[in-house]
Every structure is written in structure tokens, then in C-alpha cells.
Amino acid sequence: MKTFPLHIFLKYLFAILIIISPCHTRAQHFGSRLYNVTDGLPGASTYEAYEDSHSYLWICTSAGLSCFDGRQFVSYSLIDGLPSLHVLNVFEDSKNRLWIGTNAGMAQFKNNKFITYPVSDNQNNIWVFQIMETRDKHVWATTSKGVYEFENNRWKKRILFPGFENAACRQVVETEEG
């Protein structure tokens, strides 16, 4: 009977042990915490979270808007000038203006209060689906009543498709051609 040399046997044994032994890895554990109304959020239903250029976290809820600085929430409501408590989205443009979209129109957060600007076609009850900035630095809002562009302290109706200017538009995609 022929036997394997000891060094070859040890190599095979070592390879088998490596293959069948479980690999233990350790990942860094990041803490997580669930925030709710008792922590200062105005409502339990949230729609969007947005981090601005100052690293504040804005939370859109069905009962108002909250700003979280990493320690505490500051909540805003109709008293602060929000057009509605039903806040759907937040967007900061390249000029560091913070825009808020609600189910009753758009507002700008300025000097710790909300400023609403008129729309050019006098529409009301406008649901704001998205606020965005185009490549040429124009701020647009897509709404339940069409698309608007912020220009000269008012929201001017943009007609993208004639005949559908008052149709709901949830999103605009900017292409290379415009």
C-alpha cells in the first residue's frame, strides 16, 4: 500500500479546512432610531425627507413640515405661512432658496416663514408633485393643474403641449435638446 507524503497530506487538509470553515466577518454597526410624533414630528404619515445644503433634514408629513438639525425637530404649520398642512415635497435650488410643495400650492421658506407667490392663471387647489431646477437655473413646479415656472415673484404657466396646459403633470424630464 502506497502512502502520501506528509507535506502533501497537510496541504490538502489545510485546503479542505479553509473551504469548509465558516468565514467570520464583522461589519460596523450603525445605530438607527425611529422618530415619531412624540419626538416632535407633526404627523405620523411622511411623504418625503430632504437634506438641504446646511445638512438639515426636512420631513414632509400630512400634518405639516419639520426640520431636524440632528438633535431636535422644529415643526411648521399654517401659522408659519404654509399653504396647507399636507406637505408633499421640498427642494433647494442653486440660489439656496428652499421651496415647499403642498396640496394647495407652492411656497418659499424665507426668514423662518413661508411666502406664497401668485400663479399667473389664478388656479387654486394646486397639488404640487415635483419642484425642480432646469439646467439654465429656472425653477419649475409640476402640479395637478399643469407646469409652472417661478419668474419675477410669481408662478407663470408653462405650456409644454398645447391643449393640455391644465392637465396634471407629475414629472418633467429635461433632455439634451431642452
Side-chain angles (χ1 to χ4, degrees):
M1 178 162 123
K2 194 172 186 183
T3 61
F4 281 130
L6 183 60
H7 70 281
I8 294 175
F9 174 75
L10 291 175
K11 285 182 185 178
Y12 281 114
L13 180 62
F14 182 71
I16 290 170
L17 288 175
I18 296 237
I19 292 170
I20 64 171
S21 67
C23 295
H24 294 285
T25 59
R26 296 199 119 166
Q28 185 175 1
H29 177 68
F30 292 102
S32 60
R33 179 161 180 218
L34 179 64
Y35 292 100
N36 58 37
V37 179
T38 60
D39 297 304
L41 282 172
S45 297
T46 59
Y47 299 107
E48 181 178 279
Y50 183 86
E51 185 178 359
D52 70 14
S53 61
H54 303 288
S55 296
Y56 292 122
L57 188 63
W58 295 86
I59 312 293
C60 305
T61 78
S62 59
L65 179 69
S66 274
C67 180
F68 185 64
D69 64 3
R71 294 184 317 273
Q72 65 182 358
F73 289 96
V74 174
S75 294
Y76 300 94
S77 67
L78 300 174
I79 295 168
D80 304 298
L82 275 174
S84 169
L85 290 178
H86 201 91
V87 180
L88 304 169
N89 48 63
V90 176
F91 177 75
E92 185 177 22
D93 67 17
S94 60
K95 296 177 183 175
N96 297 106
R97 297 178 296 190
L98 199 67
W99 297 100
I100 313 304
T102 72
N103 69 340
M106 301 73 78
Q108 180 187 4
F109 186 68
K110 189 174 184 179
N111 299 325
N112 220 29
K113 62 182 178 179
F114 297 91
I115 300 166
T116 57
Y117 299 96
V119 292
S120 62
D121 58 353
N122 297 317
Q123 294 280 0
N124 56 16
N125 297 326
I126 297 175
W127 281 72
V128 181
F129 301 121
Q130 178 189 29
I131 299 176
M132 62 174 284
E133 188 170 25
T134 62
R135 275 190 220 114
D136 55 357
K137 309 295 183 210
H138 295 269
V139 176
W140 286 18
T142 62
T143 76
S144 60
K145 305 282 176 102
V147 178
Y148 294 86
E149 178 181 352
F150 188 70
E151 186 178 281
N152 299 323
N153 289 329
R154 68 182 225 178
W155 289 96
K156 183 180 176 187
K157 175 72 81 155
R158 295 285 303 198
I159 300 172
L160 301 179
F161 296 102
F164 293 95
E165 53 271 359
N166 293 320
C169 179
R170 291 197 171 267
Q171 187 176 21
V172 172
V173 177
E174 190 171 12
T175 64
E176 298 270 335
E177 294 79 34

